[in-house]
Amino acid sequence: MTPEAAAAFVVGQTAIGRPPLVPELALHLASEITPIWQASEQSLARQGVEPPYWAFAWPGGQALARFVLDDPAQVGGRRVLDLAAGGGIAAIAAARAGAAVTAAEIDPLAAAAIRANAALNGVEIAVALGDPLLHPAETEVILAGDVCYDARMTARVVPWLREAAGRGVAVLLADPGRAYLPREGLEALARYEVAVTRELEDRLVRETTVYRVLPWGSGDGSEQ
């Protein structure tokens, strides 16, 4: 799929909406789940493209966006990496707060969504298409929203985030109570009640916490 085709797909399968926790941002979002999911499966499955996670404002991304907009000093004037950025909500908020932002994604459609959403909000975001976990993070701040949704992802991401924290990177992870979130090695910074839908979640509100990820051995009883 060409970048032009990806951009056309993103715009054609979404509507402009505003996430409930961050209404000052506008995003290309799925207005209904089934049509975009079917469109993705029908036109993209044979190409091995991921489901359209980028088309939804997940609670972790909303919480990170709210956190940096309310406290711009967390990211302002710094180099920020938004890991597994989805549609780029946290990246856009960080750019609004004065950061130089790179959004990392493995999905070409997500990359197209990030570019479209950045343009919609009048900010500049560099998009890195590929797996950032294969390399050390070259940044000052990492934003990671809702990345502990399954065991395999958590097992890859958390050690990488802890290693980055050990090198002095400020690592902010937002999680709405996923089962695989580590029990230790996290410092809670803020909590939000995020409105969600039963089509995506098993409830209507998700309490979502923004944590600082601590390095290996910082009070969690573990070593690298």
Side-chain angles (χ1 to χ4, degrees):
M1 175 177 286
T2 66
E4 293 76 17
F9 184 88
V10 167
V11 173
Q13 296 295 327
T14 60
I16 295 175
R18 293 183 179 274
L21 191 65
V22 201
E24 56 264 68
L25 301 185
L27 302 173
H28 291 277
L29 298 171
S31 55
E32 295 180 89
I33 291 175
T34 302
I36 191 169
W37 211 275
Q38 290 180 341
S40 293
E41 289 181 343
Q42 292 168 1
S43 63
L44 303 172
R46 286 182 294 181
Q47 301 178 44
V49 175
E50 294 288 327
Y53 300 118
W54 50 267
F56 306 100
W58 297 93
Q62 290 195 54
L64 282 172
R66 184 75 274 149
F67 185 71
V68 300
L69 286 174
D70 288 347
D71 188 2
Q74 295 284 343
V75 298
R78 305 173 79 182
R79 291 177 293 122
V80 171
L81 175 69
D82 185 8
L83 177 68
I89 182 172
I92 292 165
R96 280 269 189 99
V101 185
T102 298
E105 257 295 343
I106 62 171
D107 183 353
L109 281 175
I114 293 164
R115 294 186 181 101
N117 288 332
L120 193 60
N121 289 276
V123 297
E124 292 187 7
I125 295 172
V127 179
L129 186 59
D131 188 350
L133 302 185
L134 299 177
H135 312 284
E138 299 295 334
T139 188
E140 295 171 279
V141 181
I142 296 174
L143 306 178
D146 218 339
V147 294
C148 296
Y149 54 83
D150 68 24
R152 182 179 179 184
M153 180 69 167
T154 303
R156 289 197 70 213
V157 168
V158 171
W160 188 84
L161 294 176
R162 294 247 183 120
E163 186 276 334
R167 292 186 290 105
V169 177
V171 181
L172 302 178
L173 183 154
D175 187 272
R178 303 300 183 203
Y180 298 99
L181 179 72
R183 302 285 184 181
E184 299 176 317
L186 302 172
E187 176 191 358
L189 301 177
R191 288 187 174 87
Y192 303 96
E193 298 290 322
V194 185
V196 294
T197 69
R198 288 196 180 276
E199 296 157 304
L200 289 174
E201 304 282 354
D202 61 356
R203 65 201 70 181
L204 294 177
V205 175
R206 276 277 185 186
E207 182 178 276
T208 304
T209 304
V210 176
Y211 299 95
R212 186 181 310 280
V213 176
L214 304 177
W216 293 105
S218 297
D220 64 354
S222 65
E223 298 295 336
Q224 187 170 7

XYZ file of all heavy atoms in Angstrom, residues 84-150:
443
model
N 4.516 3.082 20.017
C 3.259 2.458 19.603
C 2.160 3.510 19.602
O 1.143 3.412 20.291
C 2.916 1.280 20.509
N 2.370 4.525 18.794
C 1.619 5.779 18.902
C 0.172 5.684 18.464
O -0.619 6.574 18.778
C 2.331 6.868 18.090
N -0.213 4.641 17.740
C -1.589 4.554 17.269
C -1.918 5.707 16.352
O -1.205 5.981 15.386
N -2.984 6.433 16.663
C -3.335 7.607 15.865
C -2.573 8.856 16.239
O -2.763 9.906 15.626
N -1.732 8.775 17.269
C -0.847 9.884 17.602
C -1.379 10.879 18.605
O -0.826 11.979 18.738
N -2.379 10.503 19.395
C -2.970 11.477 20.314
C -1.954 12.004 21.326
O -1.875 13.216 21.566
C -4.211 10.885 21.022
C -4.855 11.934 21.937
C -3.866 9.621 21.797
C -6.187 11.487 22.512
N -1.147 11.129 21.919
C -0.154 11.590 22.895
C 0.945 12.401 22.217
O 1.435 13.394 22.768
C 0.443 10.404 23.645
N 1.333 11.984 21.024
C 2.351 12.711 20.274
C 1.885 14.133 19.952
O 2.647 15.101 20.074
C 2.685 11.959 18.989
N 0.636 14.255 19.542
C 0.084 15.570 19.205
C 0.055 16.463 20.442
O 0.423 17.642 20.394
C -1.316 15.419 18.594
C -1.204 14.756 17.212
C -2.024 16.760 18.481
C -2.522 14.242 16.674
N -0.375 15.900 21.565
C -0.397 16.682 22.800
C 1.002 17.137 23.189
O 1.204 18.284 23.609
C -1.017 15.858 23.924
N 1.994 16.256 23.042
C 3.370 16.623 23.375
C 3.878 17.728 22.460
O 4.569 18.650 22.902
C 4.266 15.400 23.294
N 3.535 17.642 21.179
C 3.933 18.706 20.254
C 3.267 20.025 20.631
O 3.899 21.087 20.585
C 3.572 18.305 18.823
N 2.005 19.964 21.014
C 1.303 21.164 21.476
C 1.987 21.750 22.710
O 1.970 22.965 22.931
C -0.138 20.816 21.838
C -1.098 20.710 20.672
C -1.768 22.058 20.405
N -2.831 21.954 19.434
C -4.131 21.874 19.749
N -4.505 21.869 21.018
N -5.029 21.817 18.805
N 2.571 20.882 23.526
C 3.234 21.322 24.755
C 4.659 21.802 24.515
O 5.363 22.138 25.469
C 3.232 20.187 25.781
N 5.098 21.807 23.264
C 6.399 22.373 22.943
C 7.522 21.385 22.763
O 8.700 21.775 22.733
N 7.210 20.092 22.605
C 8.238 19.078 22.422
C 8.547 18.864 20.947
O 7.730 19.157 20.069
C 7.785 17.758 23.049
N 9.727 18.333 20.687
C 10.083 17.844 19.354
C 9.776 16.350 19.356
O 10.435 15.577 20.034
C 11.557 18.078 19.071
N 8.763 15.939 18.608
C 8.163 14.625 18.790
C 8.400 13.704 17.596
O 8.248 14.106 16.438
C 6.644 14.741 19.022
C 6.034 13.376 19.327
C 6.353 15.711 20.157
N 8.746 12.469 17.925
C 8.748 11.380 16.955
C 7.727 10.351 17.409
O 7.722 9.944 18.570
C 10.127 10.711 16.851
O 11.079 11.674 16.391
C 10.095 9.532 15.884
N 6.862 9.934 16.506
C 5.866 8.905 16.795
C 6.305 7.615 16.119
O 6.528 7.589 14.907
C 4.494 9.332 16.295
N 6.442 6.553 16.902
C 6.911 5.269 16.378
C 5.743 4.315 16.207
O 4.944 4.129 17.124
C 7.945 4.663 17.324
N 5.671 3.695 15.046
C 4.613 2.734 14.737
C 5.128 1.682 13.769
O 6.020 1.950 12.970
C 3.398 3.428 14.117
C 2.232 3.622 15.066
C 1.613 2.300 15.529
O 1.855 1.256 14.896
O 0.884 2.325 16.540
N 4.553 0.469 13.852
C 4.902 -0.584 12.900
C 3.869 -0.703 11.791
O 4.099 -1.407 10.804
C 5.059 -1.943 13.607
C 3.742 -2.368 14.265
C 6.184 -1.896 14.633
C 3.762 -3.790 14.800
N 2.734 -0.036 11.934
C 1.613 -0.149 11.005
C 1.615 1.042 10.043
O 1.491 2.186 10.484
C 0.311 -0.194 11.807
C -0.919 -0.374 10.947
O -0.807 -0.338 9.705
O -2.011 -0.557 11.519
N 1.714 0.802 8.737
C 1.702 1.918 7.784
C 0.417 2.745 7.848
O 0.450 3.957 7.609
C 1.844 1.229 6.419
C 2.493 -0.082 6.720
C 1.973 -0.493 8.064
N -0.708 2.109 8.150
C -1.947 2.876 8.279
C -1.915 3.780 9.500
O -2.413 4.905 9.470
C -3.147 1.930 8.354
C -3.610 1.354 7.024
C -4.718 0.336 7.249
C -4.092 2.456 6.083
N -1.341 3.301 10.587
C -1.179 4.158 11.764
C -0.288 5.343 11.434
O -0.556 6.472 11.858
C -0.608 3.359 12.931
N 0.783 5.100 10.691
C 1.665 6.202 10.292
C 0.900 7.239 9.486
O 1.058 8.456 9.690
C 2.843 5.655 9.486
N 0.046 6.771 8.577
C -0.771 7.700 7.795
C -1.746 8.455 8.685
O -1.972 9.662 8.509
C -1.531 6.932 6.711
N -2.317 7.763 9.681
C -3.248 8.418 10.607
C -2.539 9.477 11.438
O -3.080 10.561 11.682
C -3.902 7.380 11.508
N -1.325 9.176 11.886
C -0.565 10.153 12.673
C -0.326 11.418 11.849
O -0.510 12.538 12.333
C 0.768 9.552 13.138
C 0.520 8.419 14.146
C 1.665 10.623 13.756
C 1.724 7.530 14.365
N 0.079 11.242 10.610
C 0.338 12.409 9.752
C -0.937 13.211 9.536
O -0.939 14.454 9.599
C 0.934 11.962 8.425
C 2.318 11.338 8.547
C 2.923 11.037 7.180
N 4.229 10.415 7.310
C 4.449 9.106 7.183
N 3.438 8.286 6.908
N 5.665 8.614 7.320
N -2.047 12.514 9.284
C -3.314 13.208 9.064
C -3.768 13.933 10.320
O -4.246 15.074 10.259
C -4.380 12.208 8.604
N -3.621 13.290 11.467
C -4.048 13.910 12.723
C -3.145 15.076 13.116
O -3.605 16.075 13.666
C -4.074 12.866 13.835
C -5.219 11.887 13.677
O -6.267 12.215 13.109
N -5.038 10.667 14.158
N -1.854 14.948 12.837
C -0.942 16.061 13.118
C -1.326 17.279 12.283
O -1.373 18.407 12.793
C 0.495 15.646 12.840
N -1.616 17.061 11.007
C -2.020 18.167 10.140
C -3.326 18.784 10.622
O -3.499 20.011 10.606
C -2.160 17.667 8.706
N -4.246 17.938 11.061
C -5.541 18.405 11.549
C -5.376 19.329 12.746
O -6.151 20.272 12.933
C -6.387 17.197 11.910
C -7.880 17.377 12.164
C -8.583 17.932 10.929
C -8.502 16.043 12.563
N -4.353 19.083 13.557
C -4.130 19.871 14.767
C -3.032 20.920 14.619
O -2.672 21.584 15.597
C -3.800 18.928 15.926
C -5.006 18.127 16.377
O -5.807 18.599 17.173
N -5.154 16.923 15.849
N -2.488 21.040 13.432
C -1.519 22.092 13.162
C -0.186 21.928 13.855
O 0.445 22.914 14.244
N 0.255 20.662 14.025
C 1.553 20.412 14.652
C 2.412 19.561 13.725
O 1.917 18.900 12.808
C 1.402 19.699 16.021
C 0.649 20.588 16.995
C 0.723 18.347 15.869
N 3.726 19.590 13.993
C 4.663 18.784 13.216
C 5.141 17.603 14.053
O 5.581 17.780 15.190
C 5.854 19.630 12.766
C 5.499 20.707 11.746
C 6.729 21.403 11.198
O 7.864 20.953 11.511
O 6.566 22.404 10.474
N 5.041 16.414 13.486
C 5.474 15.193 14.160
C 6.245 14.346 13.158
O 5.766 14.106 12.045
C 4.275 14.391 14.700
C 3.563 15.174 15.800
C 4.712 13.028 15.233
C 2.260 14.541 16.250
N 7.418 13.911 13.541
C 8.161 12.965 12.708
C 7.606 11.569 12.969
O 7.330 11.203 14.109
C 9.646 13.014 13.049
N 7.443 10.804 11.905
C 6.909 9.447 12.043
C 8.009 8.451 11.712
O 8.621 8.510 10.649
C 5.694 9.232 11.119
C 5.173 7.800 11.264
C 4.591 10.235 11.447
N 8.266 7.544 12.651
C 9.260 6.484 12.455
C 8.514 5.173 12.263
O 7.910 4.650 13.201
C 10.197 6.400 13.653
N 8.525 4.655 11.044
C 7.829 3.414 10.733
C 8.796 2.249 10.900
O 9.787 2.136 10.186
C 7.281 3.460 9.306
C 6.398 2.289 8.872
C 5.183 2.158 9.777
C 5.962 2.475 7.420
N 8.522 1.376 11.853
C 9.407 0.265 12.165
C 9.370 -0.039 13.642
O 8.666 0.622 14.406
N 10.120 -1.046 14.061
C 10.098 -1.496 15.444
C 11.187 -0.793 16.248
O 12.366 -1.136 16.136
C 10.301 -3.008 15.495
C 10.101 -3.580 16.892
O 9.994 -2.791 17.847
O 10.061 -4.810 17.023
N 10.842 0.171 17.102
C 11.857 0.898 17.865
C 12.495 0.046 18.948
O 13.557 0.404 19.477
C 11.076 2.069 18.480
C 9.693 1.546 18.608
C 9.483 0.642 17.411
N 11.867 -1.072 19.301
C 12.400 -1.916 20.374
C 13.670 -2.651 19.960
O 14.333 -3.261 20.799
C 11.347 -2.925 20.826
C 10.026 -2.344 21.317
C 9.127 -3.457 21.838
C 10.232 -1.290 22.389
N 14.019 -2.572 18.701
C 15.247 -3.213 18.221
C 16.479 -2.364 18.498
O 17.600 -2.827 18.290
C 15.139 -3.486 16.713
C 13.999 -4.417 16.287
C 13.968 -4.532 14.772
C 14.131 -5.778 16.933
N 16.271 -1.137 18.972
C 17.392 -0.219 19.191
C 17.192 0.522 20.517
O 16.063 0.691 20.970
C 17.480 0.803 18.052
C 17.400 0.203 16.693
N 18.451 -0.460 16.113
C 16.361 0.127 15.816
C 18.090 -0.893 14.919
N 16.829 -0.555 14.718
N 18.244 1.016 21.127
C 18.086 1.876 22.307
C 17.328 3.151 21.931
O 17.420 3.635 20.806
C 19.528 2.204 22.718
C 20.365 1.146 22.087
C 19.664 0.777 20.809
N 16.575 3.662 22.859
C 15.795 4.868 22.598
C 16.696 6.093 22.598
O 17.348 6.393 23.602
C 14.701 5.023 23.646
N 16.748 6.808 21.482
C 17.527 8.041 21.387
C 16.582 9.216 21.590
O 16.139 9.861 20.649
C 18.220 8.114 20.021
C 19.192 6.989 19.751
C 20.389 7.006 20.703
O 20.719 8.097 21.206
O 20.961 5.934 20.939
N 16.252 9.483 22.837
C 15.274 10.515 23.146
C 15.429 10.919 24.598
O 16.204 10.308 25.348
C 13.845 9.986 22.874
O 12.901 11.054 22.993
C 13.482 8.873 23.856
N 14.711 11.961 25.001
C 14.744 12.398 26.399
C 13.509 11.958 27.177
O 13.557 11.822 28.397
C 14.852 13.926 26.436
C 16.157 14.449 25.859
C 16.150 15.949 25.715
O 15.592 16.458 24.725
O 16.696 16.617 26.618
N 12.406 11.777 26.476
C 11.150 11.354 27.098
C 10.504 10.295 26.220
O 10.492 10.426 24.987
C 10.169 12.540 27.270
C 8.875 12.078 27.940
C 10.805 13.677 28.049
N 9.968 9.257 26.837
C 9.172 8.255 26.123
C 7.756 8.278 26.676
O 7.549 8.267 27.889
C 9.760 6.840 26.282
C 11.141 6.750 25.642
C 8.826 5.797 25.646
C 11.840 5.427 25.886
N 6.790 8.319 25.769
C 5.380 8.174 26.119
C 4.914 6.807 25.642
O 5.116 6.454 24.480
C 4.541 9.271 25.455
C 4.979 10.721 25.703
C 4.072 11.669 24.935
C 4.970 11.048 27.189
N 4.295 6.047 26.524
C 3.819 4.706 26.170
C 2.402 4.554 26.698
O 2.197 4.413 27.903
C 4.740 3.634 26.753
N 1.433 4.599 25.819
C 0.038 4.514 26.225
C -0.559 3.150 25.953
O -0.574 2.694 24.811
N -1.034 2.494 27.004
C -1.800 1.247 26.854
C -1.005 0.174 26.110
O -1.507 -0.457 25.175
C -3.110 1.541 26.121
C -4.275 0.729 26.674
O -4.018 -0.310 27.309
O -5.429 1.128 26.457
N 0.239 -0.061 26.521
C 1.088 -1.028 25.824
C 1.145 -2.387 26.527
O 1.804 -3.303 26.030
C 2.528 -0.488 25.656
C 2.530 0.721 24.739
C 3.159 -0.155 27.005
N 0.455 -2.544 27.639
C 0.499 -3.809 28.387
C -0.782 -4.618 28.183
O -1.327 -5.201 29.119
C 0.725 -3.536 29.871
S 2.325 -2.770 30.232
N -1.249 -4.654 26.940
C -2.530 -5.302 26.659
C -2.429 -6.808 26.487
O -3.439 -7.503 26.509
C -3.188 -4.673 25.432
C -2.311 -4.649 24.207
C -2.189 -5.751 23.373
C -1.591 -3.499 23.894
C -1.382 -5.713 22.252
C -0.773 -3.457 22.775
C -0.674 -4.566 21.957
O 0.143 -4.527 20.849
N -1.223 -7.349 26.268
C -1.074 -8.803 26.265
C 0.311 -9.176 26.784
O 1.190 -8.331 26.925
C -1.375 -9.440 24.902
C -0.361 -9.097 23.822
O 0.805 -8.764 24.135
O -0.718 -9.177 22.636
